[in-house]
Amino acid sequence: MAAPIAVLFDIDETLVHTGGAGARSWAWAFDQLHGVAADIGKHTSAGETDPEVGWKTFRAVLGRDPTHDEMARLYAAYLWHLADDIRTSEHYRVLDGVEETLTRIADAGVILGVLSGAMEGAARTKLEPANLGRYFVFGAYGSDSPDRPEVTRLAIAKAARLHGSDLGAQDVYVVGDTPLDVQAAHAANATAVAVASGHYTAQALQAVKPDHVLGSLLEPFPGL
Ligand SMILES: [Mg+2]
């Protein structure tokens, strides 16, 4: 197996566990702006993009579609709260093997990118307490598109620009903890590496046929 040219990492439950900072910040934003209780866990699933999470939760708790300016205020309030919450989140932690794996990939001459359903501002905030941003040369985010396969295509296109030529499925690995990450990787013609570090077991992830399944990033990374 040849080494990949770029490896793209999901953030939530792949690099870090935020200890609920995201859900608390959405709840705070809905309460501040609309005076309603909102639990994103009831209306969305792990691996969905922030625009999907905000929009679906809005529909569920307010019973109508949000306007553009309502979504803009919701994003702003969410980000505002997240920046404070993440610093005091008791159970925030970097997941096992992350820094060792990122260092090994970078040392192998492979480009590292972020591929996250989080909005760009939220993605940066989530990486900040652990100073993980320094590993990633570029990224594509939920703020680029609400559609995860499209975000994945964008990330691959950015990696190709940086590299200077088109990249095939063997050249780009997409690392994530949910079936949605695996499906997006395949839809965008990339190699899917599923890590059972989040809500899905290795067995559950196998069901969507990733190219590689790891129990955690403590295990040897494929292609290195
Ligand atoms: Mg994730």
Side-chain angles (χ1 to χ4, degrees), residues 10-14 46-47 148 176-178 181:
D10 169 58
I11 294 178
D12 284 312
E13 311 299 344
T14 300
R148 194 164 192 116
D177 67 295
T178 72
D181 298 77

Side-chain angles (χ1 to χ4, degrees), residues 94-118:
V94 178
L95 296 174
D96 294 341
V98 162
E99 297 203 60
E100 298 85 341
T101 300
L102 295 176
T103 300
R104 222 177 313 128
I105 293 171
D107 285 351
V110 177
I111 304 164
L112 280 169
V114 167
L115 165 50
S116 175

Side-chain angles (χ1 to χ4, degrees), residues 33 79 87 119 130 145 194-195:
L33 295 168
L79 282 176
R87 273 189 257 123
M119 286 177 285
S145 169
V195 190

Side-chain angles (χ1 to χ4, degrees), residues 61-76:
V61 299
L62 288 157
R64 62 176 175 85
D65 291 341
T67 62
H68 289 294
D69 58 308
E70 282 174 330
M71 281 308 290
R73 282 191 208 100
L74 195 61
Y75 290 154

